[in-house]
Amino acid sequence: MTHADAPPLHRAVERVVALDGLRVAAVLGVVAIHVTGIMVSNPEISGSLSWWFALAVNAGNIWVVPVFVMVSGALLLGEGTHRNGPASFFRRRLLRLGPAFVFWPLFYIFVVRMLISGAELTPLGVVGLLAAGTPYTHLYFLFLIVGLYAVAPVLAAFLRGGGEGRARIFAASALAATILTYTLASVFTAIGQPQSIVLNALTQWLPYVGYFLAGWALRVFVPRGTTLAVVVIATVGLLAEIVWQSGTRADHPTLNAVLPLGYLGLATALAACGVFLSFQGIFAAVALPPRARRVLATLSDAAFGVFLVHFVVLILVRMAAVALGGAVTSSLIVTVVIWAVVVAISFAISLTARRVPYLRRLF
């Protein structure tokens, strides 16, 4: 998730600029999804131009979580990361993610759910949220990434010595298995034989192994020239199809059954790989000046903290907007302003917290 997942990335020469760019773009997309969701779900504006714009932002950023996972795979599955063995790897990961893994689920349950939102939760209800790995809307990612950390040494050991061919085959096989499982569940449900994929705190990571491996397998591909243009155009086309399908879902039940939307669907997987490769090619073609690289690296390192804190910021900003008379469920202008404010405040909090000893462990 962050460049802290790789060895000494504070030295500029070891940064991967494309991965920094991907991480910043992805966290901006995460915030955009959560900000626009309330407009997309508003039936009173459904079908309007504002609604389609909100939907384009919402569904068009469906690649963000898969790409976050791919970035982690690109950083975590190298031989150098595991040179000192699993114990050293787990110790570094525990120091990096452990405090956040404990603090944020409790914060969102007790402060956001109960204090701010007024939810009434019994002790058993709290345990249920934690057992499901869903203490709040976005925090399943913490359980997801911890699970991938747990199996990373095993995956890296298998990849070691197998060359790029083994990495590609392994990634493609794992991703294909996930997509097929997700698609079959959708098809059987559509024909009256409901099948559901239920994940909990211990299994949130399982469907994302393919993306984790794909990040490592695709890290060496840098499309250029015509190839890059084809990748970018194809990726934009896939995202446009996802937006259109999302907006016309009720009119195409068969299409939605065989090509289900979601992080584990075929179209999303192809789009995520396309975004990943596009950033690789674009950042290879455009030489950023040193200052811009440093700024990008700083924002990239703060992205994890932004991901964690942005939802409570969104709730508070949205409450303030409502108090001021803002049409948060229907106004495109208000929605864009809320997104900008949430992004600015979340980055300010994360960047500041990362400068404070001990507190930085939570970001």
Side-chain angles (χ1 to χ4, degrees):
M1 179 77 178
T2 70
H3 263 304
D5 293 328
L9 283 161
H10 57 276
R11 294 195 295 270
V13 68
E14 295 179 338
R15 306 272 333 184
V16 182
V17 182
L19 298 185
D20 283 333
L22 276 168
R23 195 164 21 250
V24 173
V27 82
L28 294 177
V30 166
V31 178
I33 287 174
H34 294 148
V35 170
T36 57
I38 196 169
M39 279 190 69
V40 172
S41 61
N42 182 1
E44 295 182 2
I45 63 169
S46 180
S48 67
L49 184 61
S50 294
W51 182 83
W52 271 107
F53 185 89
L55 180 69
V57 173
N58 191 279
N61 278 297
I62 198 170
W63 53 271
V64 295
V65 169
V67 164
F68 266 139
V69 175
M70 292 174 72
V71 169
S72 289
L75 293 170
L76 282 174
L77 292 177
E79 183 176 353
T81 307
H82 302 272
R83 183 178 295 114
N84 297 321
S88 174
F89 174 80
F90 289 138
R91 184 167 55 252
R92 294 197 306 273
R93 303 285 74 75
L94 180 63
L95 290 173
R96 173 67 186 99
L97 197 58
F101 183 74
V102 173
F103 172 78
W104 288 106
L106 297 178
F107 174 83
Y108 272 93
I109 288 174
F110 291 109
V111 176
V112 181
R113 282 188 183 273
M114 300 179 72
L115 183 61
I116 297 177
S117 301
E120 296 183 1
L121 292 174
T122 64
L124 187 59
V126 171
V127 172
L129 288 171
L130 294 173
T134 54
Y136 209 75
T137 304
H138 62 313
L139 291 186
Y140 71 93
F141 188 86
L142 280 175
F143 295 83
L144 182 164
I145 206 67
V146 166
L148 291 174
Y149 281 3
V151 298
V154 178
L155 298 176
F158 178 76
L159 291 170
R160 189 181 308 126
E164 299 302 332
R166 177 181 292 182
R168 290 193 295 270
I169 293 171
F170 194 12
S173 300
L175 201 51
T178 298
I179 293 169
L180 184 59
T181 300
Y182 187 66
T183 303
L184 285 175
S186 174
V187 170
F188 276 102
T189 298
I191 62 176
Q193 299 294 323
Q195 292 188 8
S196 58
I197 300 174
V198 180
L199 302 175
N200 58 40
L202 298 179
T203 59
Q204 290 285 353
W205 61 277
L206 272 171
Y208 293 89
V209 171
Y211 285 122
F212 197 52
L213 293 165
W216 176 254
L218 294 179
R219 81 201 187 285
V220 296
F221 288 95
V222 181
R224 302 176 187 276
T226 303
T227 302
L228 175 59
V230 170
V231 170
V232 171
I233 292 170
T235 301
V236 172
L238 278 166
L239 293 174
E241 191 284 328
I242 290 170
V243 171
W244 169 80
Q245 188 178 337
S246 298
T248 59
R249 192 187 299 263
D251 301 326
H252 305 95
T254 301
L255 175 63
N256 283 284
V258 299
L259 194 65
L261 298 174
Y263 293 147
L264 308 180
L266 175 61
T268 300
L270 293 175
C273 291
V275 170
F276 190 91
L277 290 173
S278 295
F279 270 68
Q280 297 251 97
I282 291 170
F283 277 91
V286 178
L288 293 180
R291 180 176 176 79
R293 290 169 66 99
R294 289 194 297 271
V295 170
L296 184 62
T298 300
L299 295 177
S300 172
D301 288 340
F304 186 40
V306 172
F307 177 85
L308 294 169
V309 79
H310 83 276
F311 224 116
V312 66
V313 174
L314 170 58
I315 291 170
L316 296 175
V317 169
R318 189 173 279 160
M319 290 170 63
V322 170
L324 293 172
V328 299
T329 64
S330 58
S331 171
L332 186 59
I333 294 176
V334 171
T335 298
V336 171
V337 170
I338 288 175
W339 174 82
V341 171
V342 171
V343 166
I345 293 175
S346 298
F347 264 108
I349 292 172
S350 184
L351 288 167
T352 302
R354 288 178 58 81
R355 295 175 176 272
V356 180
Y358 301 110
L359 183 59
R360 65 178 298 155
R361 293 293 184 185
L362 302 180
F363 290 82

